Amino acid sequence: MDRRFTISELAKDFQITTRTIRFYEEKGLLSPERSGTVRLYDSKDRVRLVLILRGKRLGLTLDESRDIIDMYEPDSANAKQLKKLLTKIREKREFLKQQGKEINKMLSELKMAEQNCAVALANAA
Amino acid sequence: MDRRFTISELAKDFQITTRTIRFYEEKGLLSPERSGTVRLYDSKDRVRLVLILRGKRLGLTLDESRDIIDMYEPDSANAKQLKKLLTKIREKREFLKQQGKEINKMLSELKMAEQNCAVALANAA
DNA sequence: ATACAGCTTGACGTTAACGTCAACGTAAGA
DNA sequence: TCTTACGTTGACGTTAACGTCAAGCTGTAT
């Protein structure tokens, strides 16, 4: 259960390049172990990658994703930090809810477009 | 009801810059009337802008947004075109549905993070 | 021992979506 | 008429998120 992965294993599993993974590390989103100079990734790193990639699909920047990921692991935090974090989390939630609404709008509009298109196709036949 | 707008009126209304609006035109997303050299925008252009900006918030590229906008107005199309269009629309809808699911995942995770954070805050007090 | 696959760190190139600046035209009010 | 505000077209600059070499180290199978 404590298997480690090489960078190219990760790349294959997540369908990204090794360059991308190293880039995420540069940006402070990952910090794998090192065996000498070589990077070794564990399951926590994999979770982080899942979150990063989901964030990307949702249009978040890497900086935003890093913020969110940090939310999942409130480290040795004092009350002030925690309050700030709570605020951030709530903001992010509001943003995502809004995003959800916009998606629904677009979905219903596309549905109408689809119907129009189908009708036009039927008439053309 | 057929009022026209200047570029800076639009910019103000939509909270974007005139540069942005001209850029969208360069990219083929808008094609306003001209009164001499001056651009004049009508309500259809405003609708397009709404769609473009929503697309942006949903993480679509401008090219993708242009495709979608074109879906709303199937011009003189033949059957082949329409079928292609239908396929595209359905793909886009699947993509957006998936996006909606991911948002819900992230929302529930953030909810947990929020609770953890709140608990930690209570303990710290 | 060597060949080769896989890892490393730079360093520079690329694309999208604008920002910024320059140089110019134009319409309307003082 | 002259300024002032707003419009125009280039052209170059910028940031994020990687891609693409180059040059070198490393472990292992032959």
Side-chain angles (χ1 to χ4, degrees), chain A residues 120-125, chain B residues 79:
Chain A
L121 187 59
N123 289 344

Side-chain angles (χ1 to χ4, degrees), chain A residues 6-8 22 34 37-39:
Chain A
T6 73
I7 194 167
S8 58
R22 289 195 200 97
R34 295 273 182 152
T37 124
V38 154
R39 281 165 249 252

Side-chain angles (χ1 to χ4, degrees), chain B residues 9-91:
Chain B
E9 281 177 317
L10 238 65
K12 200 174 222 176
D13 292 353
F14 288 93
Q15 299 272 59
I16 56 184
T17 70
T18 61
R19 176 69 179 93
T20 299
I21 298 177
R22 288 195 201 96
F23 180 72
Y24 291 161
E25 183 173 347
E26 269 182 52
K27 288 283 163 171
L29 290 148
L30 294 172
S31 38
E33 280 178 52
R34 296 273 183 154
S35 158
T37 125
V38 152
R39 279 165 251 252
L40 287 183
Y41 300 86
D42 61 13
S43 62
K44 277 188 93 172
D45 292 318
R46 295 185 69 106
V47 170
R48 278 171 168 271
L49 252 180
V50 168
L51 297 176
I52 295 169
L53 297 178
R54 179 188 297 155
K56 269 194 55 183
R57 286 193 296 275
L58 296 181
L60 304 188
T61 70
L62 292 182
D63 285 356
E64 289 174 324
S65 284
R66 187 188 41 216
D67 286 355
I68 289 192
I69 289 174
D70 290 346
M71 292 175 191
Y72 295 144
E73 310 165 347
D75 53 352
S76 63
N78 59 32
K80 219 166 214 169
Q81 294 268 344
L82 284 175
K83 281 191 181 180
K84 235 173 105 181
L85 191 51
L86 257 179
T87 305
K88 261 191 167 180
I89 291 179
R90 281 166 184 158
E91 280 172 10

Side-chain angles (χ1 to χ4, degrees), chain A residues 52-95:
Chain A
I52 295 169
L53 297 177
R54 180 188 297 153
K56 270 192 55 182
R57 287 193 295 275
L58 296 180
L60 304 188
T61 70
L62 292 183
D63 285 355
E64 290 175 324
S65 285
R66 187 189 42 214
D67 287 354
I68 291 192
I69 289 173
D70 291 345
M71 292 175 192
Y72 295 144
E73 309 165 347
D75 53 353
S76 65
N78 58 34
K80 217 165 215 168
Q81 294 268 347
L82 284 175
K83 281 191 181 178
K84 237 174 104 182
L85 191 52
L86 256 178
T87 306
K88 260 191 166 179
I89 291 179
R90 282 168 183 156
E91 281 172 10
K92 213 47 106 175
R93 297 224 300 144
E94 275 319 298
F95 168 76

